[in-house]
Amino acid sequence: PQRTYIFTFLLSSRVFIHPHELLAKVGQICIKQKQQLETGTEAEKAKLKSFAAKIIQLLKEWTETFPYDFQDEKSMKELKEIAHRITQCDEVRVRGVGGQMTQNLLMALSARSQYQEIREKFRQPVTDKGTILKTKPQSTQKDILSVCCDPLILAQQLTYIELERVSNIYPEDLMQIVSHMDSLDNHKCRGDVTKTYNLEAYDNWFNCLSMLVATEICRVVKKKQRTRMVEFFIDVARECFNIGNFNSMMAIISGMNLSPVARLKKTWSKVKTAKFDVLEHHMDPSSNFCNYRTALQGAAQRSQTANSNREKIVIPVFNLFIKDIYFLHKIHTNRLPNGQINFKKFWEISRQIHDFLTWKQVECPFEKDKKIQSYLLTAPIYSEEALFIASFESEGPENHMEKDSWKTLR
């Protein structure tokens, strides 16, 4: 079958059967085919070589795309046994390929387990970044503009962080969205094997970036400087859009739309809002984010024909991407009325996941700036209460509701 079919099959099979059980079934087929063809005519013995090559091709694609399926001893043992049987069928062609395949797999597993060890060591609370401040810190603390005043450079550093985080999300992590919610086959799903930590960490990054933007704006005391800060973030979001980094762009817009920032009417009256209106238009939620989807499609097409990594960047709004997969899962059943698997549903889910995997493999064309990234990842961010306190101190409460809130906060 085509690679896309194999990818869809291997990705969706885990909803119904554990990968090591599937591998065992492949092993059984190998034994059966081998016995049948070995005892047959010369023509059938020739078929055996062709069969061996196809099985090796399947295993090669499986180990490359889903190396984590082979992390337990059972699967690794089964893989080695199948490879050994196949080698006997066509020793000349298969031995080298099989050896290389095992070597690549072990390297992939080793790299991933090293990353996991680091991740466990530095596993932080849900905030995933910075310190959450309940109250306002000293105004002497530096702000983002003292670290980076060029919107393009900040957008590039945000893109660097995004691509780094996206690279740790694997197809089986995304399939958890489907596996986790299964009722019929729940006992077989992989929920107990792969935790969704990578997805949560990436989601946390979005929330923290939103809160950082709101913090940076609310804690500026002078209106003129606050206006400059708002305009700076609008420019950063616009540069993110131009790069194809929709996730950071959406996080920045979300931060600016949080109540403590949105209520600063005197500040906003001084902001040149034309650029912000354009960004809001792109991220307008009406008609299921129709404008954003058009922009995403444009970026995806640009990526396909691009010659440089710079033009290949596509970072979708992650929580919308997740919702799309979840929605596909909810509106279509796993099985057809006749009991067969609804392969059309899984084909569509795997197509979306495949696009995401293509985008995440883009090598970041921007150099890492440690100083800027350190600030983005560790600068203190306010809690919601502290944001409101800072906002009311900058521009006093305007109506009864705000006055009551202010009284409660104080």
Side-chain angles (χ1 to χ4, degrees):
Q2 291 179 312
R3 287 195 71 139
T4 45
Y5 178 89
I6 293 177
F7 176 76
T8 303
F9 182 87
L10 291 173
L11 180 69
S12 50
S13 66
R14 67 202 61 240
V15 174
F16 305 93
I17 181 172
H18 198 286
H20 76 71
E21 292 175 295
L22 181 63
L23 192 63
K25 284 183 185 288
V26 172
Q28 285 158 14
I29 289 172
C30 282
I31 294 170
K32 216 177 278 178
Q33 278 293 75
K34 191 167 174 273
Q35 285 168 348
Q36 277 177 2
L37 295 171
E38 271 176 340
T39 53
T41 61
E42 282 305 310
E44 283 187 315
K45 281 178 184 170
K47 265 190 200 171
L48 192 57
K49 289 189 175 185
S50 162
F51 171 71
K54 284 174 184 171
I55 287 287
I56 277 290
Q57 182 61 26
L58 168 70
L59 296 178
K60 189 170 173 287
E61 293 195 17
W62 193 344
T63 52
E64 281 171 7
T65 320
F66 302 99
Y68 228 47
D69 287 354
F70 301 89
Q71 65 169 344
D72 56 79
E73 279 176 43
K74 260 192 222 165
S75 302
M76 197 53 108
K77 187 170 174 256
E78 187 70 53
L79 177 72
K80 283 175 180 169
E81 281 174 11
I82 296 172
H84 177 68
R85 275 183 224 121
I86 293 301
T87 308
Q88 291 171 331
C89 304
D90 187 1
E91 196 158 346
V92 183
R93 274 195 301 177
V94 169
R95 185 178 284 278
V97 180
Q100 189 62 49
M101 176 183 75
T102 313
Q103 202 178 334
N104 292 347
L105 173 62
L106 291 170
M107 277 165 66
L109 285 172
S110 159
R112 210 186 281 196
S113 69
Q114 276 176 350
Y115 162 70
Q116 239 178 335
E117 277 169 34
I118 294 167
R119 196 183 69 187
E120 291 299 326
K121 213 178 276 181
F122 296 106
R123 206 165 190 180
Q124 290 174 349
V126 179
T127 57
D128 195 32
K129 104 183 229 320
T131 336
I132 287 226
L133 294 173
K134 299 290 176 200
T135 54
K136 286 183 70 182
Q138 299 301 309
S139 55
T140 51
Q141 188 203 326
K142 63 181 179 182
D143 63 16
I144 188 79
L145 288 170
S146 65
V147 181
C148 175
C149 59
D150 184 334
L152 176 60
I153 288 174
L154 191 68
Q156 289 175 347
Q157 291 308 305
L158 286 169
T159 304
Y160 191 106
I161 293 171
E162 294 276 356
L163 286 171
E164 205 169 44
R165 301 211 161 201
V166 160
S167 70
N168 295 315
I169 293 171
Y170 298 96
E172 56 268 36
D173 293 337
L174 295 164
M175 212 56 191
Q176 290 282 324
I177 301 157
V178 179
S179 307
H180 263 333
M181 296 138 195
D182 242 18
S183 49
L184 256 179
D185 308 279
N186 209 27
H187 62 292
K188 288 178 183 169
C189 93
R190 296 201 59 209
D192 56 334
V193 182
T194 314
K195 300 286 178 273
T196 52
Y197 177 75
N198 290 341
L199 305 185
E200 287 160 23
Y202 191 40
D203 198 38
N204 282 338
W205 153 248
F206 180 96
N207 298 331
C208 289
L209 180 54
S210 292
M211 293 299 272
L212 178 68
V213 168
T215 301
E216 291 288 323
I217 294 168
C218 286
R219 70 187 183 87
V220 179
V221 179
K222 292 181 179 166
K223 187 169 70 181
K224 194 177 176 183
Q225 288 168 325
R226 204 164 45 247
T227 305
R228 187 183 165 216
M229 187 68 82
V230 171
E231 288 182 337
F232 173 71
F233 277 119
I234 291 171
D235 287 338
V236 174
R238 198 169 63 146
E239 294 296 354
C240 285
F241 177 82
N242 293 338
I243 288 170
N245 177 0
F246 299 105
N247 201 52
S248 289
M249 176 198 174
M250 185 67 125
I252 293 168
I253 293 171
S254 300
M256 295 169 97
N257 281 328
L258 289 173
S259 300
V261 181
R263 66 165 294 280
L264 297 169
K265 293 192 174 66
K266 288 170 190 166
T267 306
W268 282 99
S269 70
K270 300 288 178 192
V271 173
K272 299 184 188 93
T273 52
K275 288 186 221 167
F276 189 63
D277 294 342
V278 171
L279 294 175
E280 290 235 278
H281 169 75
H282 286 308
M283 293 299 164
D284 178 10
S286 58
S287 304
N288 192 18
F289 289 89
C290 174
N291 299 343
Y292 155 69
R293 291 178 192 283
T294 305
L296 180 68
Q297 211 176 351
Q301 282 167 353
R302 176 185 73 183
S303 179
Q304 280 172 355
T305 56
N307 298 317
S308 68
N309 281 340
R310 168 71 186 75
E311 291 173 311
K312 281 182 186 169
I313 296 169
V314 183
I315 303 168
V317 177
F318 191 62
N319 52 25
L320 283 181
F321 173 75
I322 293 291
K323 275 178 189 163
D324 285 350
I325 292 176
Y326 178 70
F327 186 67
L328 273 171
H329 171 56
K330 288 311 273 183
I331 61 168
H332 300 290
T333 56
N334 282 356
R335 293 181 189 273
L336 299 168
N338 63 5
Q340 289 182 349
I341 286 170
N342 183 2
F343 199 70
K344 202 174 173 186
K345 162 187 172 169
F346 291 103
W347 186 267
E348 185 51 38
I349 289 174
S350 91
R351 188 187 63 76
Q352 299 211 9
I353 290 177
H354 191 270
D355 285 346
F356 184 82
L357 295 182
T358 307
W359 299 332
K360 88 172 191 132
Q361 280 158 5
V362 173
E363 212 173 301
C364 187
F366 313 121
E367 270 184 53
K368 182 176 183 173
D369 186 313
K370 285 183 183 170
K371 198 172 136 198
I372 297 172
Q373 289 203 18
S374 170
Y375 188 88
L376 287 168
L377 296 167
T378 61
I381 51 177
Y382 287 2
S383 66
E384 208 176 329
E385 280 185 7
L387 277 176
F388 270 112
I389 291 169
S391 178
F392 285 134
E393 282 180 0
S394 298
E395 292 183 23
E398 290 200 343
N399 53 43
H400 286 304
M401 228 167 87
E402 286 195 347
K403 280 172 187 167
D404 288 344
S405 298
W406 183 217
K407 206 183 276 181
T408 311
L409 286 164
R410 275 193 301 183

